[in-house]
Amino acid sequence: MSASQWRRAMNRQPTAPITRPRPGAAPVAATTPQPRTAAWPTLRIRHGIVIAAALLFPFVATPFFTYQVVAQSLVLGLIALSLTFLGGYGGMVSLAQMTVAGIAGYGVAVLGTSSSAAISLGWPWWVAVPFALLIAVACAALIGWLSVRTEGIYTIMITLAIGVAFYYLVLQNYSIFNGFQGLRELHPPDVFGVDWRKPVPFYFLALACALAGYGLVKWIVRAPFGVALQGVRDNPRRMAALGYNVVAHRVAAYAFAGLLAAVGGILLAWYNGLMTPGSVGTSWLINILVVAVLGGMRHPIGAFIGAVLFVLLQTFAIDLVDRERFNLVIGGVFLAIVLCSPDGLLGLWAKARARFAPRQTMTTPTPRRQA
C-alpha cells in the first residue's frame, strides 16, 4: 500500500459493525424517534360541518324540535358522556352518574331560588352554581373512593346502591329536599339581557356545555393522565408496578366524570324547571346506561348519538304504543342494537363502512431485469 492510499484509508469515517441477529432472538426496535401524538384532537372537515349544522339548526327547525328534542338530547348526552368516559377509558361502569347530576340539580335549587322560599337560601346564581358543582364533584370523588377497590359487577352494585339510597333520601326528607313534591320553579338566570329559558338561547347554552365537555374528554384521553388511566384499565397490576397510583387515578377519573354529570344535572334542572325524586329514580339510573350503550361506550360522540335516539323514541313512541309500554320499546331497541353490535350504533356504522367500502387490491411489483 502506497503512502497516499494509506492516508485516504485513515481519513475515512468509521462505520458501525454489521451484526446479525442470533437465531430465536427478539427483533431490535428501530431507534428513529417517533412523533408524539398531539394532545388536542385534530379538527377535520366533518367536524366543521357538524358544528356549522349545529349552529344553524335552531334557525331552520321548529321550537319544539329545538327545545324538546335536541336540547334535551344535549343535556342527557352530557350526563351519559361522564359514564362513557368512566366505562370506555377507565373500565368502570358506574350507575351513580345520574345521582351526581341530581346532587348538582338539588344543590342549585337549595342554594339558589325555587318555589319553596322556606328551604332555598336565595343565593345569586354566580355563587350557587359553583358551590353546587363543587358539592357534586366532591360527592363523585367520594363515590369513586368507595367503589374503585372493586371491579365488574361489584362496582355496578355499589354505585346502584348509592343511587337508590340517594333516591330514598330525597323522597323522605322534607326539611332540605321537600320530599315527594321536590323543588319547583327552577329557571336559568337572565344574563346579558338574554332570557335563557326560551328554546333558542337554552339550546345554545346546552350546545356550548356539550361541546366543552366533548372537547375536554378528547383532550384528557390524549393527555398523560388519560393514557395512564387507559393503562390502569387494561392492566392495573402492571401500572402499579411501574409506580402509578391506581386508586388515585380512578378517583380522579370519577371526579372529572362527576364534573361533566354535574353540569348536565344543572342544565337538566333548568330544562325541567324542577327537581323531584323522580328525576333521580332507579329508572333514570338505568336510562343513562342505556343511552351510553346505544351510542357506543368506546366513543365520546356516542353518548350524544344514543341520547338523540333515546329522546326520539321517548317523544314519538307514545304515538305508536301506550305510554305505559314505552320501556318495552326502549328495551327492544336496546336488545336489537346490542345483539347486532356490542359497540352500539357507531359499531354498526363501522361494520357498514367496512362491508360496503371498495376493496383495495394489492399489486405485487414486478422485479427489474438485471442488466
Side-chain angles (χ1 to χ4, degrees), residues 57-337:
F57 177 80
F59 301 105
V60 298
T62 61
F64 174 80
F65 271 93
T66 301
Y67 189 75
Q68 297 290 339
V69 177
V70 183
Q72 184 181 2
S73 300
L74 291 173
V75 174
L76 293 179
L78 187 59
I79 302 175
L81 179 62
S82 65
L83 178 56
T84 300
F85 173 76
L86 282 178
Y89 298 100
M92 301 168 288
V93 179
S94 170
L95 294 183
Q97 296 311 110
M98 195 63 189
T99 301
V100 177
I103 292 173
Y106 269 106
V108 168
V110 173
L111 299 176
T113 57
S114 68
S115 59
S116 301
I119 296 177
S120 298
L121 300 179
W123 291 3
W125 70 269
W126 47 271
V127 178
V129 170
F131 268 89
L133 293 177
L134 182 62
I135 294 172
V137 171
C139 292
L142 179 60
I143 293 172
W145 182 77
L146 293 174
S147 60
V148 295
R149 290 170 176 80
T150 60
E151 294 181 358
I153 188 64
Y154 302 102
T155 302
I156 297 176
M157 295 306 298
I158 288 177
T159 53
L160 178 61
I162 293 173
V164 174
F166 181 74
Y167 165 73
Y168 282 106
L169 173 65
V170 298
L171 179 65
Q172 299 174 0
N173 184 280
Y174 285 86
S175 59
I176 299 177
F177 303 106
N178 201 25
F180 178 79
Q181 296 181 357
L183 300 172
R184 304 176 182 274
E185 297 184 9
L186 305 177
H187 303 292
D190 294 338
V191 185
F192 304 115
V194 179
D195 186 5
W196 298 98
R197 290 175 291 182
K198 293 183 178 180
V200 175
F202 185 83
Y203 167 83
F204 281 111
L205 177 63
L207 178 63
C209 294
L211 288 177
Y214 176 80
L216 277 176
V217 170
K218 294 291 288 185
W219 173 69
I220 287 232
V221 298
R222 295 172 177 231
F225 169 75
V227 176
L229 181 64
Q230 296 172 64
V232 169
R233 174 201 62 190
D234 296 334
N235 198 326
R237 289 188 177 182
R238 180 174 296 180
M239 294 298 292
L242 292 175
Y244 289 91
N245 193 329
V246 174
V247 174
H249 277 76
R250 288 177 172 176
V251 172
Y254 265 91
F256 173 71
L259 177 62
L260 298 176
V263 175
I266 294 175
L267 293 176
L268 187 64
W270 287 344
Y271 172 83
N272 293 324
L274 53 87
M275 281 300 299
T276 63
S279 304
V280 293
T282 309
S283 60
W284 275 108
L285 301 181
I286 304 299
N287 287 341
I288 294 300
L289 176 63
V290 171
V291 169
V293 175
L294 282 178
M297 291 282 286
R298 301 178 184 177
H299 314 276
I301 195 64
F304 299 99
I305 296 176
V308 170
L309 177 61
F310 180 85
V311 173
L312 287 175
L313 290 175
Q314 186 182 34
T315 304
F316 298 104
I318 59 176
D319 297 334
L320 303 177
V321 297
D322 296 334
R323 186 180 297 271
E324 291 78 8
R325 297 183 180 180
F326 165 72
N327 290 329
L328 179 62
V329 176
I330 289 291
V333 174
F334 177 78
L335 287 177
I337 293 178

